[in-house]
Amino acid sequence: QVQLVESGGGSVQAGGSLRLSCAASGSTSNIKYMGWFRQAPGKEREGVAIIYIDSYSTYYADSVKGRFTIAQENAMKTVSLEMNSLQPEDTAMYYCAATRSWVTAGRKLYSGEYDSWGQGTLVTVSS
């Protein structure tokens, strides 16, 4: 099994930046994809950014392209999310996710494709 622990959430004013980090432990050698999802109050969980561990290929939601950057560190045991130009609509609980299975094209940002989840870290952006 894979255990994921997020860190780095907090409160920031609009236009500010935050950096999230996700540390994986356990059976990490077979992880294929890791990334970030978020869920705002009253909304469904949505994919934000995913990285393919072997090739470092990245996938982003349209709403965060150009503002957020996902990166892999420490031989895939840690994934970060650099968030810039934050807006109030980015306010949500952010969850780290991982899977050891192949994810088909077009489904990289679907939460149902991931079977390991962290507890979440809250990001609040005020206007």
Side-chain angles (χ1 to χ4, degrees):
Q1 288 191 353
V2 175
Q3 292 79 46
L4 303 172
V5 178
E6 305 98 335
S7 61
S11 298
V12 66
Q13 289 190 329
S17 299
L18 282 174
R19 184 176 184 273
L20 306 182
S21 185
C22 173
S25 60
S27 301
T28 61
S29 60
N30 295 327
I31 293 176
K32 289 185 170 59
Y33 302 89
M34 283 184 71
W36 296 91
F37 290 76
R38 67 186 181 186
Q39 188 166 17
K43 294 188 177 181
E44 294 187 356
R45 190 169 297 191
E46 63 172 350
V48 175
I50 296 294
I51 188 165
Y52 177 43
I53 297 301
D54 287 348
S55 70
Y56 292 72
S57 297
T58 56
Y59 309 86
Y60 294 94
D62 289 342
S63 60
V64 306
K65 283 181 182 177
R67 300 189 298 124
F68 291 12
T69 302
I70 188 170
Q72 177 182 274
E73 306 169 9
N74 296 337
M76 100 179 164
K77 294 183 184 299
T78 302
V79 171
S80 63
L81 184 68
E82 188 74 35
M83 305 184 294
N84 297 315
S85 301
L86 283 161
Q87 300 300 317
E89 52 265 35
D90 295 315
T91 295
M93 187 70 79
Y94 282 70
Y95 297 91
C96 181
T99 182
R100 290 174 286 177
S101 300
W102 291 105
V103 180
T104 58
R107 294 194 62 82
K108 303 293 194 294
L109 295 173
Y110 280 76
S111 59
E113 300 290 343
Y114 297 83
D115 51 18
S116 296
W117 293 87
Q119 293 299 307
T121 185
L122 183 62
V123 171
T124 303
V125 185
S126 58
S127 57

